[in-house]
Amino acid sequence: MHVPVQAIDRETWRDGVTSEGTRLIPEETPLALTYNGGTYAVMMGTPQNLEDFAVGFSLDEGIIKSVDDIKSLEMVRLDDGIELRMWLAPEDAARISERRRHIAGPTGCGICGIDSIAEAVRPAAIVPQGARFTAQQIMTAMQAIAPLQAINMQTRAVHAAAFWSPANGIVALREDVGRHNALDKLAGALARSRTDASGGMVLLTSRVSVEMVQKTAAIGAPVLVAVSAPTALAVRTAEAAGITLIAIARSDGFEVFTHQGRVAVHRAQGTAQEIIDVVA
């Protein structure tokens, strides 16, 4: 239960023929996040990189402003799940006690348990101008994800969130059965390594909903690239946050939905090609 991948017996039926064997599939474990002894949320997720998850969730939810706000973090393995016990300064603990909630979060749910519409569509942080990228850099970054998805290569059943920079390529990549969890884990990994996200791109193997934009804004990355389509609310939120939202990124190209000025693309003009800036 506490390992990320399990080998499970199964019977296969293919082309009218049955066979027996095992298949590697990802684990799904209740993850309780507690602050100063009180439970704030219980999410279902993959039991890997959980310190990153605890820090990233805390940052993306606005519970803390810096990784330094967490005075201690302990991972406690229980029979039915894992508890991530965090201790904050008394003033921070008092602040979050007013908004503490108990969430039974199904896999892939990013805003389960909130008690108001306003909280669900809260404005995202405004990102700095950050770096600009060529179309080839965007394609190169997305192509670099698959070989690094260790769990997905075994199971074909988890999402990934990664951070790419021109100088270092894939700086960090995290996987989870929940796409929101994967992005929280990435946020935690970047915060713990003191990585400045303004110089790179967040990459997703999932669709882009509004929460994914909000979390990217909290990370401070100016560009978000995903393999699947965004929702309309995600596009509006990215526009307001100053994020360049790129989606439907495939081997033959991508689509830019907001703040196109950060992307330089090749356009054919007569017999020549030149790099021109796409102006929003």
Side-chain angles (χ1 to χ4, degrees):
M1 179 177 177
H2 294 156
V3 296
V5 176
Q6 299 275 7
I8 303 297
D9 293 332
R10 54 96 171 103
E11 183 176 279
T12 302
W13 187 91
R14 293 275 187 264
D15 298 323
V17 178
T18 61
S19 62
E20 295 183 350
T22 61
R23 171 173 284 277
L24 295 175
I25 58 176
E27 185 57 84
E28 184 179 15
T29 302
L31 306 173
L33 297 111
T34 69
Y35 300 91
N36 291 45
T39 300
Y40 184 87
V42 179
M43 306 297 289
M44 303 301 297
T46 302
Q48 186 181 59
N49 301 123
L50 295 184
E51 293 87 353
D52 290 338
F53 176 58
V55 172
F57 180 91
S58 302
L59 287 166
D60 291 344
E61 288 288 303
I63 295 169
I64 61 173
K65 295 181 180 179
S66 164
V67 64
D68 297 325
D69 293 340
I70 298 177
K71 304 308 178 185
S72 69
L73 168 58
E74 180 183 8
M75 184 170 62
V76 181
R77 299 181 182 274
L78 308 172
D79 290 340
D80 297 327
I82 299 173
E83 185 175 333
L84 302 170
R85 295 178 181 173
M86 289 166 278
W87 291 88
L88 311 178
E91 58 270 21
D92 293 327
R95 175 173 48 81
I96 69 168
S97 67
E98 298 180 1
R99 55 178 294 204
R100 179 170 287 133
R101 57 193 176 171
H102 296 271
I103 308 173
T107 299
C109 184
I111 53 174
C112 305
I114 62 173
D115 56 10
S116 73
I117 291 176
E119 187 176 353
V121 296
R122 69 186 186 276
I126 306 299
V127 302
Q129 179 59 36
R132 300 175 69 254
F133 305 94
T134 66
Q136 186 56 51
Q137 285 178 315
I138 294 167
M139 300 288 288
T140 297
M142 291 302 290
Q143 290 167 4
I145 296 177
L148 301 177
Q149 288 184 255
I151 298 178
N152 197 56
M153 284 192 288
Q154 297 179 74
T155 67
R156 303 298 178 189
V158 297
H159 296 290
F163 181 77
W164 182 94
S165 74
N168 301 302
I170 298 292
V171 175
L173 182 146
R174 295 293 182 267
E175 297 178 280
D176 200 278
V177 290
R179 57 197 172 91
H180 304 92
N181 295 345
L183 189 49
D184 282 335
K185 288 178 178 180
L186 177 65
L190 296 177
R192 295 176 72 200
S193 64
R194 312 289 178 172
T195 299
D196 179 5
S198 66
M201 299 181 283
V202 166
L203 315 175
L204 304 176
T205 62
S206 63
R207 67 182 177 88
V208 186
S209 55
V210 63
E211 315 93 282
M212 305 300 272
V213 175
Q214 292 167 335
K215 292 176 186 294
T216 300
I219 290 171
V223 177
L224 171 60
V225 189
V227 299
S228 297
T231 66
L233 180 56
V235 172
R236 294 194 296 272
T237 303
E239 180 67 38
I243 290 174
T244 297
L245 174 55
I246 302 170
I248 318 175
R250 308 292 167 78
S251 60
D252 61 344
F254 51 81
E255 299 179 21
V256 186
F257 289 85
T258 59
H259 297 282
Q260 292 91 339
R262 289 195 185 93
V263 182
V265 299
H266 290 279
R267 284 186 180 174
Q269 293 194 352
T271 59
Q273 264 196 343
E274 62 178 350
I275 296 179
I276 63 173
D277 291 338
V278 178
V279 180

